[in-house]
Amino acid sequence: MLNKNAFRDPVTSKKLLAAIANITTQHWTLMEVCGGQTHSIIKYGIDSLLPEKIRLIHGPGCPVCVTPLAYIDKALAIAAQPQVIFCSFGDMLRVPGSQLDLLSLKARGADIRIIYSPMDALKIAQNNPEREVVFFAVGFETTAPTTALVALQAKILNLKNFSLLACHVCVPPIMRALLESPHNQVQGFLAAGHVCAVMGYQEYLPIAAAYRVPIVVTGFEPVDILQGIYQCVQQLETGRTEVENAYSRVVREHGNPAAQQAMQQVFITVNRSWRGLGEIAQSGLSLAPEFADWNAELKFKIATIDSPEPAACRSGEVLQGLIKPPQCAEFGTTCTPEHPFGATMVSSEGACAAYYRYRKS
Amino acid sequence: MELICPLPLQYAQIVMAHGGGGRLMQQLLSQVVQPIFSNEYLNQQHDSAIFSVGEQKLAFTSDSYVIKPLFFNGGDIGKLAVCGTVNDLAMSGAKPLFLSCSLIIEEGLPIETLQSILQSMQKTASEAGVFIVTGDTKVVDKGKGDGLYINTAGVGVLADGVNVNPKRIEVGDAVLVSGDLARHGVAVMLQREGLDFDSEIASDCALLSPLVQDLIHAGIDIHCLRDLTRGGLASCLIELASHAKVQIEINETDLPIQEAVRSACEILGFDPLYIANEGCFALFLPPEQVEIALAVLQRHAAGAQACQIGRVKNAHEHGLLSLNTAMGVTRRLDLLSGEQLPRIC
């Protein structure tokens, strides 16, 4: 097993910081795509150690944050039904819907269970044949394969009391959308390492070429992140716009073909609304028609629930990197983890929560 | 600006986070519980209430134990119910003497299971030198409890001159911990959720009164003690910093955390600094006594990993806990909102 501490080594980190400072001659704005990276950057204070000319802006890669309000409301509508056992990853429970969150619904008596793997939801369905078991399947390409495997397994078992509220999203379309925005400030991307572990990085080649932007596949430990920043700055300083892999201990060029195959069997690509960002074409994964029997939206007839986003929350701007959390007037005053306006303040990967939790004074 | 957003949510009902040791629990206590019961003893906000009967200073505390599973790696609910209350008394510097034991039993619990838990309680009580002298038994309908809940209350005596109190925390104090962090919470969670990890993580559940009594006998001028139970090291130190109106500074590289515990936390997305311990306390004392205190603590199995983790840096109006990271950055540690929830990916 690799020694993880090697990737947190302060000495190596300081060498990389010096190397970055050494090659930086101009102002550059980089975006780390994944919320896990944002969390590491703020937790370890990497942003404050970089040369002033390097600005990091935080990307939309937090699955909890970008799940649209309508899906939280759909989850609440399903979970409120007495015959339902509603299974979710833990950090979705505190995300506010239009009226309440899943934690409050649980307190009112709904059977809502935190699970660690979608397979656990399948087991709960097998053990409770008289109940309807629903799994709230959210996340990027990192979690989509396990949802796909569960759907395939449910079909093989012909498990009729199990269904999926699936709201998966994909990274490349949102990167394109950010680059096409008239407000775009991103000059280089640190691509999300774990998404690439599943998908590989070939799909980023056309993005780097079309938008002339360097993309460096990057991990999550301080040394990984600094290495990603170093390679990205090096490309910018030398005028290159390539896709590079700075996380080769985990990521292969073609990713994980078995996981991709399962995803292809189970999902179709659809347009999807992102919380705070609006609809982005071909950015979502929904269950394919062959899996209609396991589609909770059809089973519970809630496909038409549509909830408008609240206006006060500026999480959309945060998720696009247009503002940093402290620039929002509500941040840390009226909007806190106890009273979140938006999901970016709730999720462990949300930029607002990371800034709030790791604020320096 | 008019907020169209229907939030913030004001919880009209109790949610699980109200018991999680974070900010919501603090709000529940300070806004709902304390205003109703308010009195000079409660308002000390110590692990135990301290009062005098005649010439004798007494410490009195109570705690309820709800844990799933009832038996876990490193202990069981019975051992926990004795250790927890004995430790609360020890944290006020008291020598624990007597405990009560109230059982709330769910219909259907095997008698054999109950016996085994009670035997574990008695064994731990003997080790602690305390007697379980009174109690109560109630049975609730099947489905209304997790097999067994236990409440124990405890009484102890304070020796003359012992004054262990958050108010005595001083600028310059050294901050020690008596053992490695986060083992209890992680051990119980892994077992409860049936998560298979290669390495065995055992709860640190242990009696702390022998350690504290030895510190007192060794002449250590203990300013403050706090067992790092619910909410873990960070929540406890934040609370103390706020009581004492000081800035406490701890060093990331000095924090003792087992590698297996650290890995499990990373996989689940938990911060070990906020995870419960059941056999570990923080100790504030004059810096010149650190060496002696460590030698005393390290003589005990429960204190083998004792070390200094930081110091009280300066006075601070609202109280502040800061962490010097391995990367050389200093950041604030804040109370979590409620419970830590496992992350998605």
Side-chain angles (χ1 to χ4, degrees), chain B residues 7 12 33 43 51-52 61 75 100 105 109 121 158-159 216 226 228 234 237 253 268 308 327 330 338:
Chain B
L7 301 158
V33 178
N43 298 350
F51 49 88
S52 297
T61 192
S100 70
I105 311 170
L109 183 79
M121 286 185 83
L158 279 140
I216 292 171
R226 186 57 60 98
L228 307 175
L237 293 187
T253 47
L268 295 167
Q308 180 170 0
M327 301 280 292
T330 300

Side-chain angles (χ1 to χ4, degrees), chain B residues 72-314:
Chain B
F72 49 87
N73 194 353
D76 57 74
I77 188 172
K79 180 181 178 187
L80 189 65
V82 173
C83 287
T85 296
V86 164
N87 292 350
D88 275 350
L89 292 170
M91 292 306 114
S92 62
K95 180 176 164 39
L97 293 179
F98 301 107
L99 297 189
S100 70
C101 165
S102 296
L103 306 170
I104 297 175
I105 311 170
E106 182 184 357
E107 183 183 23
L109 183 79
I111 300 274
E112 207 182 328
T113 304
L114 182 63
Q115 275 173 325
S116 148
I117 290 167
L118 296 181
Q119 277 156 2
S120 169
M121 286 185 83
Q122 182 49 46
K123 179 169 175 286
T124 314
S126 302
E127 285 166 16
V130 299
F131 295 98
I132 298 171
V133 292
T134 183
D136 178 52
T137 306
K138 296 282 188 294
V139 178
V140 295
D141 291 334
K142 184 144 189 80
K144 297 271 172 73
D146 291 320
L148 177 66
Y149 300 143
I150 302 179
N151 173 280
T152 52
V155 177
V157 288
L158 279 140
D160 277 346
V162 174
N163 182 10
V164 177
N165 195 313
K167 289 198 174 70
R168 289 198 61 216
I169 293 175
E170 286 174 17
V171 173
D173 275 1
V175 183
L176 275 55
V177 289
S178 65
D180 61 299
L181 303 170
R183 253 195 295 137
H184 175 75
V186 170
V188 169
M189 187 160 11
L190 293 183
Q191 211 160 334
R192 180 170 60 216
E193 306 302 340
L195 301 172
D196 293 325
F197 276 62
D198 285 344
S199 75
E200 288 269 295
I201 298 172
S203 164
D204 63 344
C205 182
L207 291 166
L208 299 172
S209 48
L211 283 68
V212 175
Q213 289 303 311
D214 278 6
L215 287 169
I216 292 171
H217 293 142
I220 301 292
D221 180 19
I222 303 172
H223 287 175
C224 184
L225 295 166
R226 186 57 60 98
D227 56 345
L228 307 175
T229 53
R230 193 165 37 179
L233 174 75
S235 307
C236 293
L237 293 187
I238 290 163
E239 207 181 305
L240 289 175
S242 134
H243 278 307
K245 299 193 188 307
V246 293
Q247 174 172 3
I248 300 171
E249 168 187 77
I250 58 175
N251 303 311
E252 190 172 32
T253 47
D254 293 338
L255 299 174
I257 301 171
Q258 279 187 2
E259 199 47 46
V261 170
R262 204 184 280 279
S263 303
C265 284
E266 260 169 39
I267 290 166
L268 295 167
F270 290 162
D271 188 337
L273 300 189
Y274 293 87
I275 290 184
N277 309 277
E278 288 294 346
C280 183
F281 60 85
L283 162 63
F284 290 73
L285 76 172
E288 61 275 12
Q289 292 190 325
V290 168
E291 218 166 303
I292 305 182
L294 286 178
V296 170
L297 291 171
Q298 286 165 356
R299 282 207 294 269
H300 295 264
Q305 304 295 319
C307 61
Q308 180 170 0
I309 59 162
R311 65 191 178 112
V312 180
K313 195 178 172 196
N314 45 255

Side-chain angles (χ1 to χ4, degrees), chain A residues 69 72-73 76 95-102 104-105 108 275 307-308, chain B residues 4-11:
Chain A
L69 190 58
I72 308 288
D73 286 344
L76 289 161
V95 181
S98 292
Q99 304 295 333
L100 70 171
D101 58 20
L102 286 162
S104 315
L105 192 66
R108 293 181 192 185
R275 194 161 199 172
S307 316
Chain B
I4 302 168
C5 183
L7 301 158
L9 292 179
Q10 300 284 358
Y11 290 110

